[in-house]
Amino acid sequence: MPTRPPRLLGAALLLASLLAPLAALAEPSPVGERPALGQGAPAPAAGEPSPWTASFQSTYVLQRKAGFQAAYTGPNSLVTAPETGYTLTATLFLGVRPWPGAELFVNPEVIQSQDLSHLAGLGGLSNGENQKSGGPLPTLYRARAFLRQSFALGGAESRVDAGPNQVAGTVASRRLVLTAGNFAVADVFDQNALAHDPRTQFLNWSLMGYGASDYAADVRGYTVGLALEWYWDAWAVRAGRFAQPEESNGLPLDLDLWRHYGDVLEVEHAHELFGQPGKVRVTGFHNRARMGAFRDALAYAAAHGGPPSVADVRREQSKYALGIGLEQGLLEDVAAFARYSLNDGRTETYAFAEIERSFTAGVVVKGRPWRREGDTLGVAVAVNGLSDDHRDYLAAGGTGFLIGDGRLNARTEQIVEAYYSLRAFPGLWFTADAQHIANPAYNADRGPVNIVGCRVHVEY
């Protein structure tokens, strides 16, 4: 039987205490100013680059799904009975500066989890800490091992504090940055400051990034690749090529980047609107892999009998996706974000979420007005949809990696999430989270479902 969640929380806090010597290297900043994943060693004196950084995070998420009504249940449906699930992760962020302008990082990571409904039955899954290969036994792996090289091109210089995968120093407003090795696409692209990191922000997968991007990653969310970024004052342009899994939603990566790959191109512009900062991003995705097309699967099933399966018709194919994102300050302590993404909807989900159309929007408020400067309140909505091809495939009894009720009364999947993050003291946050999901897995014959949860996040 899986380890009970309270014991897991105790294990997380014990691990944090064993690593307490790292606290002497850290002085976490307020929640609205720190890096997304945590806070590392303090910066040296101004103008003096640091030779290294070390930081640690552990996050425990406990969720309880209420029971709900459904006219029928299929092979990849959300279970109608009440359920409890959890995730526990712990990560070390270790980095050195081997020569001027370079940073080398390694991130050992551990995960232990018990998934709701075996991680099936939703387009926007409820916990971004979940992995498609998680389980009740702790698993140690290398999350990242990469090199970042920066080339200053002039412009103004600004101070960069130490943090997870960031060595303290200065950066030029005009620069080239080359990143190569084992990391995540989301480490470089779509760096939304309000909805990006499930360890500190919204939990639902739909709110972590572009839901319809199907970006290249193994089942843990990491990949191997190369990214080049060009910064010129308010503008940034990023491009990268990344390894796809050897097979759909698999763990081993196909390192033949000339044959199978995920390409990403992003343009970003920073601005001020009524005195408040904001950013606009446009991101394009091109994935190339052996994928099954929904129409091909339907034709194969019509000729051979049985329910359609994309596994029967996989061949070399491309998938294209587009994302548009906005984040904008509204008041001193209030900011909003919105994203829209879509893909061509022809082929199976290869690496991320089973979403082909997605619109998300939300508001985040810092706690200063009620004298809780370290607290954060967030509310967001997500509306996810499928292509016509995918709807017909599911209605005919087809299944994907994450969804498939055997039948389908198609509707958009609609999600509302709210969280309150309370900073107990520097380095420790407690979060209460609630999600309401209508038409889970795009099926009006099932749901709605309510999921409540809590999160404990520790960082040094």
Side-chain angles (χ1 to χ4, degrees), residues 191-262:
Q191 290 285 299
N192 189 295
L194 307 174
H196 185 70
D197 181 11
R199 291 172 178 171
T200 59
Q201 300 169 332
F202 295 98
L203 281 168
N204 194 278
W205 283 36
S206 305
L207 300 168
M208 291 164 51
Y210 296 120
S213 62
D214 199 16
Y215 64 85
D218 62 21
V219 291
R220 295 187 178 122
Y222 303 103
T223 184
V224 169
L226 182 76
L228 182 64
E229 303 171 79
W230 175 80
Y231 293 87
W232 198 265
D233 299 330
W235 289 93
V237 179
R238 305 177 180 94
R241 172 161 287 195
F242 302 94
Q244 295 278 15
E246 290 182 355
E247 57 184 32
S248 175
N249 293 284
L251 181 59
L253 292 169
D254 182 349
L255 299 181
D256 185 350
L257 296 182
W258 295 110
R259 185 181 180 194
H260 299 139
Y261 48 82

Side-chain angles (χ1 to χ4, degrees), residues 336-353:
F337 71 93
R339 289 188 181 99
Y340 179 73
S341 60
L342 75 165
N343 66 52
D344 56 37
R346 295 174 47 257
T347 56
E348 65 182 298
T349 297
Y350 202 76
F352 187 46

Side-chain angles (χ1 to χ4, degrees), residues 6 30 34 40 45 54 56 104 150 157 184 196 215 341 354 388 403 418 437:
R34 73 185 194 283
F56 166 80
L104 180 64
S150 298
E157 289 196 349
H196 185 70
Y215 64 85
S341 60
E354 299 220 37
D388 291 343
I403 64 174
I437 304 174

Side-chain angles (χ1 to χ4, degrees), residues 43-44 48-50 97 158-162 167-171:
E48 180 186 345
S50 173
R97 191 185 297 279
S158 58
R159 183 69 182 159
V160 176
D161 292 335
V167 180
T170 60
V171 296

Side-chain angles (χ1 to χ4, degrees), residues 116-408:
L116 295 177
S117 299
H118 307 289
L119 209 62
L122 291 171
L125 293 167
S126 64
N127 180 3
E129 281 283 81
N130 278 123
Q131 296 179 0
K132 296 173 185 176
S133 63
L137 296 179
T139 302
L140 174 65
Y141 54 90
R142 183 195 68 243
R144 300 177 183 86
F146 66 94
L147 176 71
R148 180 191 299 132
Q149 177 69 56
S150 298
F151 304 91
L153 302 177
E157 289 196 349
S158 58
R159 183 69 182 159
V160 176
D161 292 335
N165 296 332
Q166 183 174 281
V167 180
T170 60
V171 296
S173 63
R174 300 175 181 179
R175 64 190 187 277
L176 280 175
V177 181
L178 178 66
T179 305
N182 172 202
F183 55 106
V185 172
D187 292 339
V188 175
F189 296 88
D190 188 25
Q191 290 285 299
N192 189 295
L194 307 174
H196 185 70
D197 181 11
R199 291 172 178 171
T200 59
Q201 300 169 332
F202 295 98
L203 281 168
N204 194 278
W205 283 36
S206 305
L207 300 168
M208 291 164 51
Y210 296 120
S213 62
D214 199 16
Y215 64 85
D218 62 21
V219 291
R220 295 187 178 122
Y222 303 103
T223 184
V224 169
L226 182 76
L228 182 64
E229 303 171 79
W230 175 80
Y231 293 87
W232 198 265
D233 299 330
W235 289 93
V237 179
R238 305 177 180 94
R241 172 161 287 195
F242 302 94
Q244 295 278 15
E246 290 182 355
E247 57 184 32
S248 175
N249 293 284
L251 181 59
L253 292 169
D254 182 349
L255 299 181
D256 185 350
L257 296 182
W258 295 110
R259 185 181 180 194
H260 299 139
Y261 48 82
D263 285 339
V264 189
L265 176 64
E266 180 172 87
V267 179
E268 174 186 278
H269 184 259
H271 62 266
E272 279 197 1
L273 184 63
F274 302 113
Q276 296 295 328
K279 289 184 179 180
V280 177
R281 300 179 186 87
V282 178
T283 313
F285 301 83
H286 172 217
N287 297 329
R288 185 72 180 174
R290 281 187 54 82
M291 298 179 282
F294 301 119
R295 290 295 174 198
D296 291 348
L298 288 165
Y300 186 92
H304 297 84
S309 173
V310 289
D312 294 330
V313 293
R314 287 184 177 130
R315 56 186 174 87
E316 300 291 329
Q317 301 202 63
S318 289
K319 175 183 287 186
Y320 297 92
L322 175 69
I324 301 172
L326 167 70
E327 57 187 90
Q328 179 63 52
L330 303 178
L331 299 169
E332 182 180 355
D333 299 298
V334 183
F337 71 93
R339 289 188 181 99
Y340 179 73
S341 60
L342 75 165
N343 66 52
D344 56 37
R346 295 174 47 257
T347 56
E348 65 182 298
T349 297
Y350 202 76
F352 187 46
E354 299 220 37
I355 302 172
E356 278 124 20
R357 309 283 186 272
S358 182
F359 172 76
T360 63
V363 176
V364 174
V365 184
K366 297 180 183 178
R368 188 182 63 86
W370 56 92
R371 299 181 181 179
R372 292 290 309 174
E373 289 82 357
D375 294 4
T376 308
L377 171 67
V379 180
V381 297
V383 180
N384 299 324
L386 297 177
S387 65
D388 291 343
D389 290 3
H390 201 168
R391 287 197 297 265
D392 292 345
Y393 173 82
L394 294 173
T399 60
F401 190 78
L402 300 174
I403 64 174
D405 298 324
R407 285 181 276 168
L408 183 67

